[in-house]
Amino acid sequence: MKKSDFYFDLPERLIAQTPLERRDSSRLLVVDRQGGANAHRHFTDLPEYLQPGDCLVMNDSRVLPARLMGSAEGRTTPIEVVLLNDRGNGLWECLTRPGKKTREGARLSFGGGRLTGEVEAVGPRDGNRLIRFHYDGVFLELLDELGTMPLPPYIKEKLDDPERYQTVYSKTPGSAAAPTAGLHFTKDLLAQLEQKGVRLAYVTLHVGLGTFRPVKAEEIADHVMHSEFYQLGEEAAQTINETRESGRDIFAVGTTACRTLETVADEQGRVRAQNGWTDIFIYPGYRFKAVDHLVTNFHLPESTLMMLISAFAGRERVLEAYRQAIEAEYRFFSFGDSCLFY
């Protein structure tokens, strides 16, 4: 299949620039995967689609204030660095701009020298930098002081409250971007689901380069995904397996939770506690093992996420649902409305 098979035309006015005042007041397009009519609902209606014993699987990764502005030794041009993956011992994989100022050996400074770094290597394939940081104290505390949220480039408005780019259940710092399908949940809505008998399980997948990297290969099978770190704990694995054994359904919240489950599941859909790196690329032709239903936001044209949901619900059905959403003026992308592929 070709990248262009996943293109759609989106009016710029439909790209949401700010979050709604109340998270769960967003709209919810329910897409019937069996071919029935789609339903235009609101996110507060989501509990109607889950039954007691079903399991809602969410990604509890927390976004780092991963965007740093600094300078390179001997240069006056500002340097932008976005942290992507923690490689351990102060070494991070990063995006940098401008790239010409951050060649191997470049020395960087942030916050008046409170944080410094040196470019140790430049990725031969993707141009990402491996930067070794040096600092006193606790790195995450320093990042809270010096860093800002790395909002997607299509969001031009300033975010007044950084917590609105975090899910209410975010727990484990490490992402360069939010798992945005979860931004619609409130603590009240989660409590309502639990009162109904829906089981909640949490996985961790730290969102990294895949969010920022466009598909360049025209033949999608030639695209290479970047690895992202995931973790599935014992309690969540047990909950997911018990749900499967009881004949109830697994609802994945977001493509990150979906990709994590499909990474760890065996052919029968059973999972086991583990952690590691995944570069799973899901596109039409893939057979899902662990996910029965998917809650997700609206995605960019020709993106790997469009390819994933097309694998889940069918390309033509997805494109028709997006056509209906555009006609009904749904809000798109990170701060936009939501879909339930049911």
Side-chain angles (χ1 to χ4, degrees):
M1 301 187 79
K2 297 187 180 299
K3 176 178 69 171
S4 54
D5 292 332
F6 302 90
Y7 178 79
F8 63 92
D9 188 34
L10 180 70
E12 189 173 348
R13 71 178 187 280
L14 298 184
I15 299 174
Q17 293 297 311
T18 55
L20 296 175
E21 183 175 346
R22 183 171 173 83
R23 291 174 183 261
D24 58 8
S25 63
S26 56
R27 298 168 75 183
L28 177 69
L29 179 61
V30 182
V31 180
D32 186 342
R33 294 167 62 208
Q34 306 307 314
N38 297 335
H40 298 276
R41 307 294 299 272
H42 286 86
F43 204 80
T44 49
D45 300 321
L46 179 67
E48 295 180 23
Y49 294 91
L50 289 95
Q51 301 303 316
D54 287 344
C55 181
L56 193 69
V57 181
M58 294 164 281
N59 179 9
D60 69 3
S61 182
R62 186 168 176 82
V63 187
L64 294 170
R67 181 174 178 266
L68 292 164
M69 297 301 297
S71 59
E73 189 177 80
R75 306 278 186 175
T76 57
T77 306
I79 301 295
E80 178 183 13
V81 173
V82 177
L83 307 179
L84 294 176
N85 289 315
D86 183 0
R87 298 298 186 180
N89 298 317
L91 186 67
W92 282 79
E93 182 180 1
C94 304
L95 292 174
T96 63
R97 188 171 57 181
K100 291 181 180 179
K101 309 298 183 184
T102 52
R103 294 191 173 97
E104 187 173 336
R107 297 178 182 274
L108 310 177
S109 177
F110 310 90
R114 296 174 63 199
L115 175 66
T116 61
E118 182 174 349
V119 179
E120 291 194 353
V122 178
R125 189 181 67 198
D126 52 25
N128 290 349
R129 271 54 175 173
L130 287 178
I131 300 177
R132 180 83 62 183
F133 289 98
H134 306 281
Y135 51 91
D136 293 324
V138 179
F139 182 71
L140 291 182
E141 291 180 359
L142 191 58
L143 201 59
D144 279 336
E145 292 184 45
L146 303 180
T148 58
M149 283 294 178
L151 293 177
Y154 51 77
I155 294 179
K156 311 299 183 186
E157 297 289 331
K158 182 178 181 295
L159 181 62
D160 292 330
D161 179 8
E163 280 301 309
R164 292 306 308 271
Y165 197 55
Q166 307 277 13
T167 63
V168 297
Y169 48 79
S170 65
K171 178 182 178 183
T172 310
S175 278
T180 54
L183 295 179
H184 306 276
F185 286 90
T186 63
K187 291 182 178 179
D188 287 345
L189 186 59
L190 291 171
Q192 182 183 342
L193 286 161
E194 283 193 291
Q195 289 167 7
K196 187 173 181 176
V198 174
R199 309 182 75 173
L200 308 182
Y202 297 92
V203 301
T204 302
L205 184 136
H206 292 320
V207 187
L209 181 65
T211 295
F212 300 95
R213 187 181 182 192
V215 176
K216 295 182 179 178
E218 183 55 31
E219 293 289 342
I220 65 172
D222 295 334
H223 178 70
V224 178
M225 292 286 283
H226 200 78
S227 294
E228 295 167 312
F229 182 80
Y230 71 86
Q231 186 168 15
L232 174 65
E234 291 282 358
E235 182 179 352
Q238 181 178 343
T239 298
I240 291 164
N241 287 333
E242 288 175 355
T243 301
R244 179 67 64 208
E245 290 163 5
S246 68
R248 297 310 313 163
D249 288 349
I250 304 294
F251 286 70
V253 177
T255 56
T256 57
C258 176
R259 292 177 64 242
T260 303
L261 290 173
E262 293 299 319
T263 294
V264 301
D266 64 18
E267 291 302 315
Q268 287 71 47
R270 287 187 57 83
V271 302
R272 63 180 178 84
Q274 58 186 281
N275 60 63
W277 295 82
T278 181
D279 60 357
I280 187 171
F281 180 21
I282 297 175
Y283 56 89
Y286 179 86
R287 187 182 70 82
F288 286 81
K289 301 168 291 189
V291 178
D292 300 303
H293 310 284
L294 178 62
V295 180
T296 185
N297 277 17
F298 291 95
H299 302 297
L300 275 73
E302 300 184 335
S303 64
T304 59
L305 306 183
M306 276 293 290
M307 295 165 193
L308 185 153
I309 62 174
S310 295
F312 191 73
R315 186 181 70 92
E316 294 296 334
R317 185 170 293 117
V318 166
L319 290 174
E320 172 58 20
Y322 273 49
R323 187 196 65 77
Q324 292 178 17
I326 292 168
E327 186 176 272
E329 298 203 328
Y330 277 64
R331 303 166 77 246
F332 273 66
F333 306 157
S334 293
F335 288 140
D337 294 315
S338 183
C339 272
L340 168 61
F341 288 101
Y342 191 72

